[in-house]
């Protein structure tokens, strides 16, 4: 091994170790910043020495590979379901079935949480992850290895004395906090929230673009080694070993000697589960000894040595007192049910989310209804049913409001959208403060020193009405605010000053244009390079941009039509915020003067990656085929009209392979 390769390998090992310490052990020993630097160094070295490419390098975690469809793989060991039990009696009969074949003197059980996610089967060879397959129908599943590699709690390389070849199973899930954050982001961007963490986790595994999967906050607990190896004597030992090899094993398991002990464990978790960061839907009980598991074997559906105990979903009944309405920063109205306070799973519940008008109508809610509430995937509980026999005959139906609860403006609703909106963009208070809060948030301008409450205070004291006002704040104004000492004021100014370095794409996101989230901002910034250029685009021109549809185009044009927004932007320009993309230097000029249209789905790249490659090698991307197009880079599932037009105009139609050749075989 050459010295360079050695350095590279050492660095990779070091990063694997820190990833493990951070994500699995929750005990990092270096700062995020140092970690980022190491990763940056690795990617730099890797691009310098492409000959030492390693498919399991930590740099591969960011994803980027696009799968058109997933290969179907037959499981070496079928992925069975678990038989269910709901009572102590069910467990007793599970035990007596086992006793018919196994002596009870040394029989014991390992109890684990039943993680509510989506299961995955991982294969490791020589300590390296080689394949990840979904459960599918239990007999065969989809090969989702590329997507799985982006999950940081799944080791790409193992430590210690792992068997040379084995398979292990686990559950992929999304923590409740992360799930709620995703939904807040989505609703802020005018998208429908996801229904529950489990479906979102399982949907994420089937995404075609692994870079998108990398952005999803997926985690994994491993719970079952399925191959045999020398030291594999009990489930308990296997969990301990798995953890040593680097797997994320939940430490909630317990060895129990009797069914009474098992039942104690169940009852314990029936209470404690409400404090977990993730969802479980029960407990899994497994015969601990692997030899006994083998004797017991499987039915056609279930292992005979294991059973799930299912918790009852926590539901209570309470009375609906009123419905109030919240206004988000985009003007979206969210109804919230105010309830007679009631204890549900250890917490007092006073409110339940109602999402939108459809939800209210579906439940046919009336005032003072007795409603059943349930803790679902979200932290705020939801109303699942109404007890009609308890309804007063003269109670009033809940009618959705038609005026904004904050500014009394008329609400509007598009057929295609679930939410009502207050269109009083310029003076509806929660929209004004919401927009400023969005502006300072971490993914936008990331202004340290100012928090959401400070914004509220500043707004109430009439120091600011929009985000541009932030930059003209005076020291004495701030000092006049409650709890604002000299030091905090200094921090505010420091934060504002720092924000002048934030790149254009994030400034664009920070402006808070409805439906323009992070990805769209990035696309627009890349495509138009400056705010002035973007402002001058018409609705039809915007439609031509990749992934920009009617909804977004309309929203962008509307935003810039509003004079107040233009004035704010001008002010922000004067202050020195970035309204231009940075000028990129090209890697080569292979594609100088060449224009491309990229269309369809590709094997080795996402469309964005291809476009980037074209640009950094001197070429230009066009969004539609015309006589000015040099190449149509054609992938799978490309629109037939583009193809026909290219043929008619005599444009060169090239494949991904042709493209690779063009890139490589030129100087
Ligand atoms: P079911 O889908 O209800 O038949 O239950 C079987 C599923 O439970 C398995 O496929 C796993 O995805 C899931 N599961 C969650 N936690 C565990 C665990 N600790 N041990 C075994 N299976 C588990
Ligand atoms: Zn309003």
């Amino acid at each position: 091994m050459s010295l360079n390769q050695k350095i590279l390998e050492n660095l990779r090992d070091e990063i694997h170790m820190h990833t493990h310490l951070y994500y699995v052990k929750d005990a990092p020993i270096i700062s995020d910043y140092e970690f980022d630097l190491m990763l940056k160094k690795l990617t730099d070295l890797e691009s310098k020495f492409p000959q030492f490419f390693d498919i399991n390098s930590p740099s591969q975690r960011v994803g980027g590979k696009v799968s058109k469809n997933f290969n179907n793989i037959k499981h070496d060991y079928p992925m069975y379901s678990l038989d269910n039990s709901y009572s102590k009696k069910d467990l007793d009969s599970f035990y007596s079935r086992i006793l018919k074949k196994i002596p009870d003197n040394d029989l014991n059980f390992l109890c684990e949480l039943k993680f509510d996610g989506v299961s995955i089967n991982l294969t490791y060879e020589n300590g390296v992850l080689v394949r990840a397959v979904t459960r599918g129908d239990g007999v065969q599943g989809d090969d989702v290895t590329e997507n799985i590699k982006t999950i940081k709690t799944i080791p790409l390389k193992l430590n210690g004395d792992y068997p040379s070849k084995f398979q292990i199973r686990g559950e992929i899930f999304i923590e409740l906090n992360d799930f709620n954050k995703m939904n807040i982001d989505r609703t802020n961007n005018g998208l429908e929230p996801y229904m529950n963490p489990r479906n979102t986790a399982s949907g994420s595994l089937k995404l075609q673009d692994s870079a998108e999967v990398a952005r999803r906050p997926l985690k994994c607990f491993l719970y079952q080694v399925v191959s045999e190896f020398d030291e594999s004597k009990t489930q308990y030992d296997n969990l301990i070993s798995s953890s040593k090899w680097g797997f994320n094993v939940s430490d909630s398991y317990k060895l129990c000697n009797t069914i009474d002990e098992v039942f104690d464990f169940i009852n314990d978790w029936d209470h404690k589960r409400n404090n977990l960061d993730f969802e479980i839907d029960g407990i899994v009980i497994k015969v601990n000894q692997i030899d006994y598991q083998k004797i017991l074997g499987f039915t056609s559906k279930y292992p005979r040595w294991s059973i799930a105990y299912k918790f009852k979903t926590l539901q209570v009944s309470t009375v609906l007192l009123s419905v109030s309405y919240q206004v988000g920063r985009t003007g979206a109205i969210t109804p919230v049910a105010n309830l007679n306070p009631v204890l549900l799973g250890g917490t007092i519940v006073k409110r339940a989310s109602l999402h939108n008008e459809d939800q209210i109508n579906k439940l046919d809610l009336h005032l003072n209804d007795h409603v059943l509430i349930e803790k679902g995937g979200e932290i705020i509980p939801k109303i699942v049913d109404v007890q009609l026999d308890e309804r007063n005959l003269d109670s009033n139906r809940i009618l959705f409001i038609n005026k904004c609860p904050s500014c009394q403006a008329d609400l509007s609703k598009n057929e295609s959208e679930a939410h009502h909106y207050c269109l009083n963009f310029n003076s509806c208070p929660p929209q004004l403060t919401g927009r400023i809060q969005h502006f300072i948030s971490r993914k936008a301008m990331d202004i340290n020193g100012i928090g959401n409450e400070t914004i509220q205070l500043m707004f109430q004291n009439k120091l600011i009405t929009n985000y541009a006002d932030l930059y003209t704040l005076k020291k004495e104004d701030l000092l006049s605010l409650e709890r604002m000492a000299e030091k905090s004021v200094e921090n505010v100014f420091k934060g504002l000053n720092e924000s002048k370095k934030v790149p254009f794409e994030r400034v664009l996101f920070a402006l808070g244009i409805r439906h323009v989230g992070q990805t769209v901002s990035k696309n627009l910034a890349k495509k138009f390079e400056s705010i002035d250029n973007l402002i001058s685009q018409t609705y039809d021109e915007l439609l031509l941009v990749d992934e920009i549809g009617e909804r977004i185009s309309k929203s962008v044009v509307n935003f810039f039509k509003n004079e107040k927004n233009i004035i704010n932007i001008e002010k922000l320009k004067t202050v020195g915020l970035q309204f231009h993309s940075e000028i990129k230097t090209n890697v080569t000029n292979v594609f100088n003067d060449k224009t491309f249209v990229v269309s369809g789905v590709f094997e080795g790249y996402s469309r964005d990656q291809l476009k980037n490659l074209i640009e950094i090698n001197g070429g230009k991307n066009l969004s539609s085929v015309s006589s000015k197009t040099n190449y149509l880079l054609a992938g799978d599932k490309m629109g037939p009209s583009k193809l026909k037009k290219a043929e008619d105009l005599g444009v060169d139609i090239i494949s991904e392979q042709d493209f690779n050749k063009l890139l490589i075989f030129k100087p």
Side-chain angles (χ1 to χ4, degrees):
M1 199 186 282
S2 76
L3 183 61
N4 286 332
Q5 189 174 7
K6 187 88 203 126
I7 293 172
L8 204 62
E9 298 274 287
N10 284 345
L11 186 57
R12 282 172 181 154
D13 283 347
E14 215 177 324
I15 297 176
H16 278 306
M17 178 189 79
H18 288 300
T19 310
H20 177 72
L21 286 172
Y22 186 96
Y23 289 97
V24 179
K25 293 279 172 216
D26 208 4
I29 53 170
I30 58 172
S31 69
D32 291 5
Y33 181 71
E34 285 169 300
F35 184 85
D36 290 345
L37 282 187
M38 282 172 91
L39 204 58
K40 169 89 176 55
K41 188 165 159 200
L42 176 67
T43 45
D44 285 351
L45 282 175
E46 285 182 341
S47 55
K48 227 160 127 189
F49 302 107
Q51 66 271 38
F52 303 135
F53 175 79
D54 173 4
I55 188 142
N56 278 322
S57 162
S59 61
Q60 301 298 303
R61 295 253 195 216
V62 293
K65 269 219 166 165
V66 177
S67 326
K68 271 186 300 182
N69 34 38
F70 300 104
N71 282 333
N72 221 248
I73 307 251
K74 191 166 182 296
H75 294 299
D76 292 335
Y77 310 89
M79 293 180 82
Y80 289 91
S81 268
L82 287 171
D83 198 1
N84 287 326
S85 61
Y86 301 91
S87 64
K88 174 89 181 350
K89 205 168 131 240
D90 292 346
L91 288 180
D92 285 334
S93 48
F94 166 69
Y95 187 55
S96 26
R97 283 198 301 272
I98 291 173
L99 284 185
K100 287 189 190 143
K101 292 197 176 160
I102 309 287
D104 84 335
N105 36 19
D106 65 343
L107 173 70
N108 47 33
F109 298 98
L110 198 80
C111 296
E112 299 167 23
L113 303 187
K114 189 165 188 294
F115 311 107
D116 196 10
V118 44
S119 51
I120 192 79
N121 189 76
L122 307 175
T123 306
Y124 284 81
E125 282 175 22
N126 302 315
V128 180
L129 174 68
V130 293
R131 189 173 307 125
V133 182
T134 62
R135 178 164 160 192
D137 61 3
V139 178
Q140 46 186 23
D142 289 332
D143 181 342
V144 290
T145 315
E146 286 309 321
N147 286 348
I148 289 299
K149 278 188 185 167
T150 65
I151 303 175
K152 311 252 190 355
T153 40
I154 294 184
L156 301 178
K157 264 181 109 171
L158 304 179
N159 304 316
D161 56 347
Y162 46 80
S164 61
K165 187 172 174 189
F166 71 101
Q167 299 188 12
I168 186 165
R169 283 179 190 162
E171 198 83 356
I172 292 171
F173 63 95
I174 297 179
E175 284 190 359
L176 293 172
N177 271 325
D178 289 329
F179 181 72
N180 287 323
K181 274 188 226 145
M182 282 173 94
N183 272 347
I184 290 170
D185 265 9
R186 284 180 70 83
T187 31
N188 277 344
N189 288 323
L191 299 168
E192 285 295 299
Y194 291 121
M195 285 303 283
N196 65 54
R198 183 183 358 109
N199 291 356
T200 311
S202 103
S204 301
L205 292 194
K206 299 290 180 58
L207 289 173
Q208 295 196 321
D209 182 356
S210 58
E212 178 55 33
V213 184
R215 284 191 279 274
R216 302 271 170 106
L218 301 171
K219 299 212 161 131
C220 184
F221 276 133
L222 284 302
Y223 50 67
Q224 189 88 39
V225 177
V226 276
S227 320
E228 280 184 64
F229 58 99
D230 289 345
E231 276 77 33
S232 170
K233 297 212 168 54
T234 65
Q235 167 70 1
Y236 182 83
D237 295 338
N238 285 353
L239 289 183
I240 302 264
S241 306
S242 310
S243 169
K244 281 194 193 136
W245 301 331
F247 291 106
N248 190 33
V249 177
S250 162
D251 56 12
S252 50
Y253 57 85
K254 188 172 177 218
L255 197 57
C256 295
N257 289 309
T258 63
I259 284 293
D260 282 337
E261 276 180 46
V262 168
F263 209 63
D264 286 343
F265 181 83
I266 289 173
N267 283 331
D268 196 24
W269 277 106
D270 200 0
H271 295 296
K272 285 200 293 195
R273 70 181 163 126
N274 296 302
N275 305 326
L276 286 170
D277 297 333
F278 47 84
E279 286 190 292
I280 59 174
D281 60 339
I283 298 291
V284 182
I285 300 125
K286 298 172 182 171
V287 167
N288 188 37
Q289 294 91 334
I290 309 284
D291 285 346
Y292 291 166
Q293 292 184 2
K294 276 196 233 153
I295 295 174
L296 290 161
F298 297 85
T299 70
S300 61
K301 281 206 242 152
Y302 315 121
R304 289 199 189 86
W305 45 267
S306 179
I307 197 163
Y309 183 93
K310 288 279 176 96
F311 291 131
K312 290 176 204 66
T313 330
L314 287 179
Q315 282 186 344
V316 287
S317 160
T318 185
V319 177
L320 173 70
L321 301 178
S322 64
V323 174
S324 46
Y325 298 84
Q326 293 173 342
V327 190
R329 74 162 166 97
T330 59
I333 309 287
T334 313
V336 178
N338 298 307
L339 308 164
N340 208 5
V342 61
L343 202 63
L344 175 65
T347 45
I348 293 179
V349 176
K350 295 184 199 146
R351 284 142 51 93
S353 109
L354 284 168
H355 301 294
N356 52 47
E357 186 183 20
D358 289 347
Q359 188 70 18
I360 295 180
N361 292 344
K362 229 189 272 166
L363 291 161
D364 183 30
L365 272 189
H366 284 53
L367 212 57
N368 296 320
D369 267 351
H370 286 246
V371 291
L372 269 187
I373 58 169
E374 181 179 301
K375 274 234 163 123
E378 287 146 89
I379 284 169
I380 306 180
K382 57 180 178 204
I383 298 182
V384 287
D385 207 1
V386 175
Q387 291 163 303
L388 289 178
D389 44 352
E390 303 266 2
R391 177 176 289 168
N392 267 339
L393 284 177
D394 57 355
S395 73
N396 289 325
R397 242 190 104 193
I398 302 286
L399 292 178
F400 204 85
I401 47 171
N402 49 28
K403 296 221 183 297
C404 172
S406 185
C407 73
Q408 271 66 52
D410 286 341
L411 299 183
S412 99
K413 183 175 178 299
N414 280 342
E415 275 300 312
S416 57
E417 288 171 335
H419 280 105
H420 285 71
Y421 285 91
C422 163
L423 298 185
N424 184 6
F425 183 93
N426 287 338
S427 42
C428 179
Q431 294 189 52
L432 293 176
T433 49
R435 264 202 306 275
I436 309 174
Q437 287 166 341
H438 167 74
F439 183 84
I440 63 161
S441 66
R442 207 170 50 83
K443 286 177 180 162
M445 301 304 285
D446 191 17
I447 301 184
N448 286 322
I450 312 183
N452 284 348
E453 276 137 58
T454 320
I455 297 290
Q456 287 290 2
L457 265 182
M458 292 175 178
F459 184 81
Q460 279 155 17
N461 287 280
K462 305 207 167 51
L463 298 181
I464 53 172
T465 51
N466 58 58
Y467 37 66
D469 291 343
L470 286 171
Y471 293 88
T472 51
L473 282 168
K474 295 201 184 57
K475 194 173 163 187
E476 23 332 336
D477 292 341
L478 289 177
L479 280 172
S480 72
L481 291 177
E482 231 178 288
R483 276 176 305 174
M484 267 287 183
E486 191 85 23
K487 184 83 199 150
S488 339
V489 172
E490 246 171 60
N491 284 339
V492 170
F493 287 119
K494 204 166 136 216
L496 287 167
N497 225 357
E498 291 277 305
S499 74
K500 294 175 189 167
K501 291 187 216 133
V502 167
F504 175 44
E505 58 184 49
R506 271 172 52 199
V507 177
L508 186 56
F509 172 60
L511 294 181
I513 307 172
R514 204 206 285 183
H515 304 314
V516 178
Q518 281 173 287
T519 322
V520 175
S521 305
K522 231 181 237 166
N523 281 350
L524 289 174
K526 200 146 118 213
K527 174 84 194 171
F528 297 111
E529 291 179 350
S530 76
I531 195 83
D532 293 333
N533 192 14
L534 177 61
I535 293 174
S536 69
Q537 302 301 315
T538 63
Y539 171 82
D540 291 320
E541 284 165 335
L542 286 168
L543 270 185
L544 297 176
V545 182
D546 225 25
E547 273 139 66
I548 306 260
E550 293 174 6
R551 209 171 52 135
I552 299 176
S553 299
K554 199 165 132 199
S555 166
V556 171
V557 170
N558 269 341
F559 186 88
F560 294 126
K561 236 197 257 160
N562 185 331
E563 206 182 326
K564 286 229 163 114
N565 289 329
I566 300 291
I567 295 174
N568 283 344
I569 290 169
E570 287 307 320
K571 282 188 192 158
L572 293 175
K573 268 190 197 166
T574 333
V575 172
L577 297 204
Q578 305 289 323
F579 282 104
H580 282 272
S581 295
E582 278 169 58
I583 313 289
K584 277 178 269 156
T585 42
N586 287 350
V587 177
T588 76
N589 289 321
V590 170
F591 296 143
N592 244 6
D593 303 326
K594 294 281 184 269
T595 55
F596 289 77
V597 172
V598 183
S599 181
V601 182
F602 299 86
E603 291 217 8
Y605 308 99
S606 69
R607 258 200 305 280
D608 279 345
Q609 285 177 324
L610 282 171
K611 289 184 181 170
N612 192 32
L613 271 177
I614 291 169
E615 274 168 29
I616 63 175
N617 288 291
K620 247 181 103 177
N621 290 297
L622 301 177
S623 38
S624 61
V625 178
S626 71
S627 55
K628 295 199 195 94
T629 313
N630 293 108
Y631 298 106
L632 172 64
L633 178 46
D636 233 38
K637 298 195 190 131
M638 190 185 67
S641 60
K642 271 197 182 134
L643 194 62
K644 169 136 196 333
K645 195 154 178 206
E647 278 167 357
D648 290 350
L649 292 170
V651 171
D652 251 345
I653 301 170
I654 60 170
S655 68
E656 187 176 346
Q657 287 70 30
D658 299 332
F659 176 81
N660 280 334
K661 281 182 207 148
L662 281 177
L663 243 188
I664 293 164
F665 289 125
K666 293 275 170 66

